[in-house]
Amino acid sequence: MSMIELYDGGAYLLNGTELIPDNNESAAAIKAKTGKDVAKEDAKKATIAYGILQEHNTSGNPDKLKIRFDKLTSHDITFVGIIQTARASGLTKFPMPYVLTNCHNSLCAVGGTINEDDHVFGLSAAKKYGGVYVPPHQAVIHQFAREMLAGGGKMILGSDSHTRYGALGTMAVGEGGPELVKQLLNQTYDINMPGVVGIYLKGEPVKGVGPQDVALAIIGAVFKNGYVKNKVMEFVGPGVSSLSADFRIGVDVMTTETTCLSSIWRTDDKIKEFLTIHERPEDYKELNPGEVTYYDGMVVVDLDQIRPMIAMPFHPSNTYTIEELNANLLDILDETEKRAQVSLDGAVPYELKSKVKNGKFVVDQGIIAGCAGGGFENICAAADILKGRYIGSDAFTLSVYPASMPVYMELIKNGCAATIMETGSVLKTAFCGPCFGAGDTPANNAFSIRHSTRNFPNREGSKLQNGQISSVALMDARSIAATAANGGVLTAATDWDGEFTKYQYHYDANIYKNRVFDSKGVADPDAELVLGPNIKDWPKMSALPENLILKVVSEIHDPVTTTDELIPSGETSSYRSNPLGLAEFALSRKDPQYVGRAKEIKKIEDARVAGEEHLCQKADWVHDVMHTVKDNGFADASPKNTGFGSTIFAVKPGDGSAREQAASCQKVLGGWANIANEYATKRYRSNLINWGMLPFLIPEGELPFKNLDFLFIPDIKKAVSEKWDVIKAYRVDAEGHKLSDAFELKLGELTDEEREIILKGCLINYNRVD
């Protein structure tokens, strides 16, 4: 029997337990079982997600949502830019609870004083505007939210893509910073009512299977086919009750890797107990689907059949069971090597077969960390497997990062911390670094197994542009521990013959009470923001001109382009409070020539906006391109009504992190657009729009332009304001001498507010208070 089954269409769920596929016979089947005629549209309204979304919808239109969230969360590579953007738009007070955590730049390892400057800024902002400030090493952003913020029926918006608290009854969404700015300015999060896909759990996991195994099995089944893309995943079915709160949390946080919009779970006494332990019993709310509930798709997960999983480089969806990998080792390694060359553009030699020793796959490093791996039960289970064993004195290393200081404290009290350290493993403080490439970077060509969220290229800290490459595979903490206990030989936790201890968690509230700054929502207008020398205001940005001339400065044909490839993580994170400084790193891992090319075009646009004449003196091509445009039917085009900028083409950009800088770095370098066959996530497309960039779409197939060509787009301002379905563009060759026939671009659906943001040039301009 398979682990995962996907329905071809929708499905009805009766009384939370019985599935009926959506077909010509479903109405009669429902009538026979319930005695009722139930319309599909009414059954759609019975999902947990529908109820929560409508409770937070301010539009009055159930199909066109304008959401106000209950709380906001950010960490220390996003909150400075968000607050600076909101300040430029007149922010005087946080209108809702806003938590600023410090879990990404907490090592303060690169860039001198600038990391700690961001932390000091965050504390001063929490005082001035009435927020909550969590100091470094206290908690990773999502663990703090689970312990202190999430509640039944609530909605939380976070500027980190893994903002997922559905297991606790909270619909949470990870978006780029500008969407949080809108909430701070009492604006709304605008989406169409999303589809809701049921995730029906049945059975219970066998010993040795953990939440990452379940999550990876689901991701492997739904990512490539887009089954849940931009939809809500609603976890239902009798199997939910077989899982602890920690287990559900571990599955839930990984839903981001499916490209879904959000997630929500039915809740029960185990969630009530979790919130009671954390001294918030009043935040519990029982959530269940209705008597007859319709889902737009259905994923059936047989928990009994899930086995320890591994996601091979370089994506969480490249999944196999560990048993399957070990049984077909050389074939799967060969397949992984070939697939990796696409991700790496063949830039560096990459091979894995040398990791096979005496027929066994030997790894170099294990990491259990962050919002996915650093939970209490994961680490206790790893300690049980490791008890009495030693990782040895060879190359293999193991690091464990509890997700919060209260979790760390309990591991000390119950002895699991000592058990782990006794093995030769290292126990560290709460930190997200292993998930995005800042800390525990392996050696060149090393292979790391991690209970973390992502395994994209360079997410472990290596630098492709410098000829470095190492690999991350995602696994559950239990199988990582089993591998560590076996000297680094890849081992499934189901092969361990011991017994897990039932550890009771005791929460120590005093750690946060005595260390976290909580304004209780009271702002202090007299408090001064503390601005370090790296914290810079956003540069001024121009409104959309009547016409555009764009130069294609990068062309990316990978099947999917991640935000890591658009703006790297790792040590670049230290510069994210300096828009122009960070922009120097844009596309540096994918296209090192991008920044220089974009700057050349921006130089022309800056001169045009400043009213300088004779632009052709700054670049010969300006004269040639403008004359080619004028001589081919556009005589009115001139530098007074025609802007100059850059664009990139990518097949499917935006998978991965919510970081707004993937778009803002292009904008501050003069980018006016992206052109894509499809956008991997809503959040990346929203980032483009909020930074005043045009999210163009073009059909799959041979492109009507190539890298370094110019694109003339007449009447673009009119096209945006008048909602044209199709926009005509013309290619001018790289020499500026030949104008092609028109080809078509589309923008997809845009709200009136989004159109206005693009017309004004960015969200800051849309809201600016001069």
Side-chain angles (χ1 to χ4, degrees), residues 533-581:
N534 188 60
I535 298 175
K536 304 294 185 184
D537 292 333
W538 291 101
K540 288 188 177 180
M541 299 173 195
S542 303
L544 185 68
E546 293 179 31
N547 313 307
L548 275 178
I549 289 175
L550 302 178
K551 186 169 186 176
V552 183
V553 293
S554 189
E555 190 177 331
I556 304 170
H557 289 277
D558 291 356
V560 180
T561 303
T562 69
T563 49
D564 279 82
E565 292 164 313
L566 296 169
I567 182 64
S569 53
E571 79 276 14
T572 60
S573 302
S574 297
Y575 300 92
R576 290 196 178 154
S577 303
N578 182 339
L580 292 173

Short mmCIF file of all heavy atoms in Angstrom, two decimals, residues 533-581:
data_model
loop_
_atom_site.label_atom_id
_atom_site.label_comp_id
_atom_site.label_asym_id
_atom_site.label_seq_id
_atom_site.Cartn_x
_atom_site.Cartn_y
_atom_site.Cartn_z
N PRO A 533 25.37 52.58 11.66
CA PRO A 533 25.83 53.14 10.37
C PRO A 533 25.42 52.31 9.16
O PRO A 533 25.40 52.83 8.04
CB PRO A 533 27.35 53.17 10.51
CG PRO A 533 27.66 52.21 11.62
CD PRO A 533 26.49 52.24 12.55
N ASN A 534 25.06 51.03 9.34
CA ASN A 534 24.65 50.22 8.20
C ASN A 534 23.16 50.31 7.93
O ASN A 534 22.68 49.84 6.90
CB ASN A 534 25.03 48.75 8.45
CG ASN A 534 24.81 47.88 7.22
OD1 ASN A 534 25.40 48.11 6.18
ND2 ASN A 534 23.93 46.90 7.32
N ILE A 535 22.40 50.90 8.83
CA ILE A 535 20.95 50.99 8.66
C ILE A 535 20.65 52.22 7.81
O ILE A 535 20.84 53.36 8.24
CB ILE A 535 20.24 51.05 10.01
CG1 ILE A 535 20.52 49.76 10.80
CG2 ILE A 535 18.74 51.25 9.83
CD1 ILE A 535 19.96 49.75 12.20
N LYS A 536 20.20 51.97 6.60
CA LYS A 536 19.98 53.04 5.63
C LYS A 536 18.51 53.11 5.24
O LYS A 536 17.81 52.10 5.21
CB LYS A 536 20.82 52.80 4.37
CG LYS A 536 22.32 52.65 4.62
CD LYS A 536 22.96 53.92 5.13
CE LYS A 536 24.47 53.75 5.26
NZ LYS A 536 25.10 54.94 5.84
N ASP A 537 18.07 54.32 4.89
CA ASP A 537 16.73 54.49 4.35
C ASP A 537 16.67 53.94 2.94
O ASP A 537 17.68 53.82 2.24
CB ASP A 537 16.35 55.97 4.33
CG ASP A 537 16.17 56.55 5.72
OD1 ASP A 537 15.83 55.77 6.65
OD2 ASP A 537 16.39 57.76 5.90
N TRP A 538 15.45 53.61 2.51
CA TRP A 538 15.27 53.17 1.13
C TRP A 538 15.54 54.34 0.18
O TRP A 538 15.13 55.48 0.46
CB TRP A 538 13.84 52.67 0.91
CG TRP A 538 13.55 51.39 1.64
CD1 TRP A 538 12.88 51.25 2.81
CD2 TRP A 538 13.95 50.08 1.24
NE1 TRP A 538 12.83 49.93 3.18
CE2 TRP A 538 13.48 49.19 2.24
CE3 TRP A 538 14.66 49.57 0.16
CZ2 TRP A 538 13.68 47.81 2.17
CZ3 TRP A 538 14.88 48.20 0.10
CH2 TRP A 538 14.39 47.34 1.09
N PRO A 539 16.23 54.12 -0.92
CA PRO A 539 16.42 55.21 -1.88
C PRO A 539 15.10 55.61 -2.52
O PRO A 539 14.14 54.83 -2.55
CB PRO A 539 17.37 54.59 -2.92
CG PRO A 539 17.16 53.12 -2.82
CD PRO A 539 16.83 52.85 -1.38
N LYS A 540 15.04 56.82 -3.04
CA LYS A 540 13.83 57.28 -3.71
C LYS A 540 13.60 56.48 -4.98
O LYS A 540 14.53 56.11 -5.69
CB LYS A 540 13.93 58.77 -4.04
CG LYS A 540 13.83 59.66 -2.81
CD LYS A 540 13.74 61.13 -3.19
CE LYS A 540 13.57 61.99 -1.93
NZ LYS A 540 13.47 63.44 -2.27
N MET A 541 12.34 56.23 -5.27
CA MET A 541 11.97 55.44 -6.44
C MET A 541 10.95 56.21 -7.25
O MET A 541 10.07 56.88 -6.71
CB MET A 541 11.42 54.08 -6.00
CG MET A 541 12.46 53.27 -5.20
SD MET A 541 11.81 51.76 -4.49
CE MET A 541 13.13 51.36 -3.32
N SER A 542 11.04 56.09 -8.57
CA SER A 542 10.22 56.89 -9.48
C SER A 542 8.90 56.19 -9.79
O SER A 542 8.77 54.97 -9.68
CB SER A 542 10.96 57.12 -10.80
OG SER A 542 12.20 57.74 -10.58
N ALA A 543 7.94 57.00 -10.19
CA ALA A 543 6.66 56.46 -10.65
C ALA A 543 6.84 55.80 -12.01
O ALA A 543 7.80 56.06 -12.74
CB ALA A 543 5.62 57.58 -10.72
N LEU A 544 5.91 54.94 -12.37
CA LEU A 544 5.96 54.25 -13.65
C LEU A 544 5.81 55.27 -14.79
O LEU A 544 4.86 56.04 -14.81
CB LEU A 544 4.83 53.22 -13.73
CG LEU A 544 4.80 52.32 -14.96
CD1 LEU A 544 5.98 51.36 -14.96
CD2 LEU A 544 3.48 51.54 -15.03
N PRO A 545 6.74 55.29 -15.75
CA PRO A 545 6.63 56.23 -16.87
C PRO A 545 5.60 55.74 -17.90
O PRO A 545 5.08 54.62 -17.81
CB PRO A 545 8.04 56.24 -17.46
CG PRO A 545 8.59 54.90 -17.10
CD PRO A 545 7.98 54.52 -15.80
N GLU A 546 5.35 56.58 -18.89
CA GLU A 546 4.35 56.22 -19.91
C GLU A 546 4.81 55.02 -20.74
O GLU A 546 4.02 54.12 -21.05
CB GLU A 546 4.09 57.42 -20.84
CG GLU A 546 3.40 58.58 -20.15
CD GLU A 546 3.18 59.74 -21.10
OE1 GLU A 546 3.00 59.49 -22.31
OE2 GLU A 546 3.20 60.89 -20.63
N ASN A 547 6.09 54.99 -21.10
CA ASN A 547 6.65 53.89 -21.87
C ASN A 547 7.88 53.37 -21.14
O ASN A 547 8.48 54.07 -20.32
CB ASN A 547 7.08 54.35 -23.27
CG ASN A 547 6.04 55.18 -23.97
OD1 ASN A 547 4.90 54.78 -24.09
ND2 ASN A 547 6.45 56.37 -24.44
N LEU A 548 8.29 52.17 -21.48
CA LEU A 548 9.49 51.60 -20.87
C LEU A 548 10.41 51.00 -21.94
O LEU A 548 9.95 50.38 -22.91
CB LEU A 548 9.13 50.47 -19.90
CG LEU A 548 8.77 50.84 -18.46
CD1 LEU A 548 8.40 49.57 -17.70
CD2 LEU A 548 9.92 51.55 -17.76
N ILE A 549 11.69 51.20 -21.74
CA ILE A 549 12.71 50.45 -22.46
C ILE A 549 13.47 49.63 -21.41
O ILE A 549 14.11 50.20 -20.52
CB ILE A 549 13.66 51.36 -23.24
CG1 ILE A 549 12.93 51.99 -24.43
CG2 ILE A 549 14.88 50.57 -23.74
CD1 ILE A 549 13.74 53.01 -25.21
N LEU A 550 13.35 48.32 -21.51
CA LEU A 550 13.98 47.43 -20.55
C LEU A 550 15.10 46.66 -21.23
O LEU A 550 14.93 46.20 -22.37
CB LEU A 550 12.96 46.41 -20.00
CG LEU A 550 11.71 46.96 -19.32
CD1 LEU A 550 10.80 45.82 -18.89
CD2 LEU A 550 12.10 47.81 -18.11
N LYS A 551 16.20 46.51 -20.54
CA LYS A 551 17.25 45.64 -21.03
C LYS A 551 17.19 44.32 -20.28
O LYS A 551 17.09 44.30 -19.05
CB LYS A 551 18.64 46.26 -20.86
CG LYS A 551 19.74 45.41 -21.50
CD LYS A 551 21.07 46.12 -21.58
CE LYS A 551 22.08 45.27 -22.35
NZ LYS A 551 23.38 45.98 -22.53
N VAL A 552 17.20 43.23 -21.01
CA VAL A 552 17.24 41.91 -20.38
C VAL A 552 18.67 41.68 -19.90
O VAL A 552 19.59 41.57 -20.71
CB VAL A 552 16.81 40.81 -21.37
CG1 VAL A 552 16.79 39.45 -20.66
CG2 VAL A 552 15.45 41.11 -21.98
N VAL A 553 18.86 41.64 -18.60
CA VAL A 553 20.22 41.57 -18.06
C VAL A 553 20.55 40.21 -17.45
O VAL A 553 21.68 39.98 -17.03
CB VAL A 553 20.47 42.69 -17.03
CG1 VAL A 553 20.47 44.05 -17.71
CG2 VAL A 553 19.45 42.64 -15.90
N SER A 554 19.57 39.31 -17.41
CA SER A 554 19.86 37.94 -16.97
C SER A 554 18.75 37.04 -17.48
O SER A 554 17.57 37.42 -17.48
CB SER A 554 19.95 37.84 -15.45
OG SER A 554 20.43 36.57 -15.07
N GLU A 555 19.15 35.86 -17.92
CA GLU A 555 18.20 34.89 -18.48
C GLU A 555 18.47 33.55 -17.79
O GLU A 555 19.55 32.99 -17.91
CB GLU A 555 18.41 34.78 -19.99
CG GLU A 555 17.35 34.00 -20.71
CD GLU A 555 17.57 33.99 -22.22
OE1 GLU A 555 18.15 34.97 -22.75
OE2 GLU A 555 17.18 33.00 -22.85
N ILE A 556 17.47 33.06 -17.06
CA ILE A 556 17.64 31.86 -16.23
C ILE A 556 16.65 30.80 -16.69
O ILE A 556 15.44 31.04 -16.71
CB ILE A 556 17.41 32.19 -14.74
CG1 ILE A 556 18.34 33.32 -14.29
CG2 ILE A 556 17.62 30.94 -13.88
CD1 ILE A 556 18.03 33.86 -12.91
N HIS A 557 17.16 29.65 -17.05
CA HIS A 557 16.31 28.59 -17.60
C HIS A 557 16.19 27.37 -16.69
O HIS A 557 15.74 26.32 -17.14
CB HIS A 557 16.81 28.19 -18.98
CG HIS A 557 16.55 29.25 -20.02
ND1 HIS A 557 15.34 29.38 -20.67
CD2 HIS A 557 17.33 30.26 -20.48
CE1 HIS A 557 15.39 30.40 -21.51
NE2 HIS A 557 16.59 30.96 -21.42
N ASP A 558 16.60 27.49 -15.42
CA ASP A 558 16.35 26.40 -14.47
C ASP A 558 14.84 26.17 -14.37
O ASP A 558 14.05 27.11 -14.51
CB ASP A 558 16.87 26.76 -13.09
CG ASP A 558 18.38 26.82 -13.04
OD1 ASP A 558 19.01 26.50 -14.06
OD2 ASP A 558 18.93 27.19 -11.99
N PRO A 559 14.41 24.94 -14.10
CA PRO A 559 12.97 24.69 -13.94
C PRO A 559 12.34 25.56 -12.85
O PRO A 559 11.22 26.01 -12.98
CB PRO A 559 12.90 23.20 -13.59
CG PRO A 559 14.15 22.62 -14.15
CD PRO A 559 15.20 23.69 -14.03
N VAL A 560 13.09 25.77 -11.76
CA VAL A 560 12.63 26.63 -10.66
C VAL A 560 13.82 27.45 -10.18
O VAL A 560 14.93 26.94 -10.05
CB VAL A 560 12.08 25.80 -9.48
CG1 VAL A 560 11.62 26.72 -8.35
CG2 VAL A 560 10.92 24.91 -9.93
N THR A 561 13.60 28.74 -9.94
CA THR A 561 14.65 29.61 -9.39
C THR A 561 14.24 30.03 -7.99
O THR A 561 13.15 30.59 -7.79
CB THR A 561 14.84 30.86 -10.27
OG1 THR A 561 15.15 30.45 -11.60
CG2 THR A 561 15.96 31.73 -9.74
N THR A 562 15.07 29.76 -7.01
CA THR A 562 14.74 30.07 -5.63
C THR A 562 15.13 31.50 -5.28
O THR A 562 15.95 32.13 -5.96
CB THR A 562 15.45 29.12 -4.66
OG1 THR A 562 16.86 29.40 -4.68
CG2 THR A 562 15.22 27.66 -5.05
N THR A 563 14.56 32.00 -4.20
CA THR A 563 14.94 33.32 -3.72
C THR A 563 16.39 33.34 -3.26
O THR A 563 17.04 34.39 -3.27
CB THR A 563 14.01 33.79 -2.59
OG1 THR A 563 13.90 32.74 -1.62
CG2 THR A 563 12.63 34.11 -3.12
N ASP A 564 16.92 32.18 -2.85
CA ASP A 564 18.34 32.10 -2.50
C ASP A 564 19.22 32.44 -3.70
O ASP A 564 20.31 33.00 -3.54
CB ASP A 564 18.70 30.70 -2.02
CG ASP A 564 18.31 30.48 -0.58
OD1 ASP A 564 17.14 30.18 -0.33
OD2 ASP A 564 19.17 30.62 0.29
N GLU A 565 18.77 32.07 -4.89
CA GLU A 565 19.55 32.35 -6.08
C GLU A 565 19.37 33.80 -6.53
O GLU A 565 20.24 34.36 -7.20
CB GLU A 565 19.15 31.37 -7.19
CG GLU A 565 19.58 29.95 -6.87
CD GLU A 565 18.89 28.90 -7.72
OE1 GLU A 565 17.66 28.96 -7.87
OE2 GLU A 565 19.59 28.01 -8.22
N LEU A 566 18.25 34.42 -6.17
CA LEU A 566 18.02 35.82 -6.51
C LEU A 566 18.77 36.75 -5.57
O LEU A 566 19.30 37.78 -5.99
CB LEU A 566 16.52 36.12 -6.51
CG LEU A 566 15.72 35.35 -7.57
CD1 LEU A 566 14.22 35.51 -7.31
CD2 LEU A 566 16.06 35.84 -8.97
N ILE A 567 18.78 36.41 -4.29
CA ILE A 567 19.61 37.13 -3.32
C ILE A 567 20.07 36.11 -2.30
O ILE A 567 19.25 35.53 -1.57
CB ILE A 567 18.88 38.33 -2.66
CG1 ILE A 567 19.82 39.07 -1.71
CG2 ILE A 567 17.61 37.93 -1.98
CD1 ILE A 567 21.02 39.72 -2.39
N PRO A 568 21.36 35.84 -2.21
CA PRO A 568 21.84 34.75 -1.36
C PRO A 568 21.55 34.98 0.12
O PRO A 568 21.43 36.11 0.59
CB PRO A 568 23.36 34.76 -1.62
CG PRO A 568 23.53 35.45 -2.92
CD PRO A 568 22.43 36.46 -2.99
N SER A 569 21.46 33.88 0.83
CA SER A 569 21.37 33.94 2.29
C SER A 569 22.79 33.87 2.85
O SER A 569 23.73 34.33 2.21
CB SER A 569 20.49 32.80 2.80
OG SER A 569 20.93 31.55 2.31
N GLY A 570 22.95 33.30 4.02
CA GLY A 570 24.29 33.22 4.60
C GLY A 570 24.79 34.57 5.07
O GLY A 570 24.04 35.38 5.64
N GLU A 571 26.07 34.84 4.80
CA GLU A 571 26.68 36.05 5.36
C GLU A 571 26.09 37.32 4.78
O GLU A 571 26.18 38.39 5.38
CB GLU A 571 28.19 36.03 5.17
CG GLU A 571 28.68 36.41 3.78
CD GLU A 571 28.67 35.24 2.81
OE1 GLU A 571 28.05 34.21 3.13
OE2 GLU A 571 29.27 35.35 1.74
N THR A 572 25.44 37.24 3.60
CA THR A 572 24.82 38.44 3.03
C THR A 572 23.70 38.95 3.92
O THR A 572 23.34 40.13 3.84
CB THR A 572 24.27 38.14 1.63
OG1 THR A 572 23.29 37.10 1.72
CG2 THR A 572 25.36 37.70 0.68
N SER A 573 23.15 38.07 4.77
CA SER A 573 22.06 38.49 5.64
C SER A 573 22.44 39.67 6.51
O SER A 573 21.58 40.46 6.91
CB SER A 573 21.63 37.32 6.52
OG SER A 573 21.22 36.22 5.75
N SER A 574 23.71 39.79 6.84
CA SER A 574 24.15 40.87 7.70
C SER A 574 23.95 42.25 7.08
O SER A 574 23.95 43.25 7.79
CB SER A 574 25.64 40.69 8.04
OG SER A 574 25.84 39.49 8.76
N TYR A 575 23.79 42.29 5.76
CA TYR A 575 23.70 43.59 5.07
C TYR A 575 22.26 43.96 4.72
O TYR A 575 22.04 44.89 3.95
CB TYR A 575 24.57 43.55 3.82
CG TYR A 575 26.02 43.29 4.16
CD1 TYR A 575 26.53 42.00 4.17
CD2 TYR A 575 26.86 44.33 4.52
CE1 TYR A 575 27.85 41.75 4.52
CE2 TYR A 575 28.18 44.09 4.87
CZ TYR A 575 28.67 42.79 4.86
OH TYR A 575 29.97 42.55 5.22
N ARG A 576 21.29 43.26 5.29
CA ARG A 576 19.92 43.46 4.85
C ARG A 576 19.26 44.70 5.42
O ARG A 576 18.10 44.96 5.14
CB ARG A 576 19.09 42.21 5.14
CG ARG A 576 19.53 41.11 4.21
CD ARG A 576 18.58 40.00 4.12
NE ARG A 576 19.12 39.05 3.14
CZ ARG A 576 18.85 37.77 3.13
NH1 ARG A 576 18.06 37.27 4.03
NH2 ARG A 576 19.37 36.99 2.21
N SER A 577 19.98 45.47 6.21
CA SER A 577 19.46 46.76 6.66
C SER A 577 19.98 47.89 5.80
O SER A 577 19.73 49.06 6.07
CB SER A 577 19.84 46.99 8.13
OG SER A 577 19.35 45.95 8.93
N ASN A 578 20.72 47.54 4.76
CA ASN A 578 21.33 48.52 3.86
C ASN A 578 20.94 48.14 2.43
O ASN A 578 21.58 47.30 1.80
CB ASN A 578 22.86 48.47 4.02
CG ASN A 578 23.56 49.50 3.16
OD1 ASN A 578 23.01 49.99 2.17
ND2 ASN A 578 24.80 49.81 3.51
N PRO A 579 19.86 48.73 1.90
CA PRO A 579 19.33 48.29 0.61
C PRO A 579 20.36 48.31 -0.52
O PRO A 579 20.43 47.35 -1.30
CB PRO A 579 18.19 49.29 0.34
CG PRO A 579 17.77 49.75 1.69
CD PRO A 579 19.02 49.78 2.51
N LEU A 580 21.14 49.36 -0.62
CA LEU A 580 22.12 49.44 -1.71
C LEU A 580 23.30 48.52 -1.46
O LEU A 580 23.84 47.91 -2.39
CB LEU A 580 22.59 50.88 -1.89
CG LEU A 580 21.53 51.86 -2.41
CD1 LEU A 580 22.06 53.28 -2.38
CD2 LEU A 580 21.10 51.49 -3.82
N GLY A 581 23.70 48.38 -0.20
CA GLY A 581 24.80 47.48 0.12
C GLY A 581 24.44 46.04 -0.17
O GLY A 581 25.24 45.28 -0.73
#
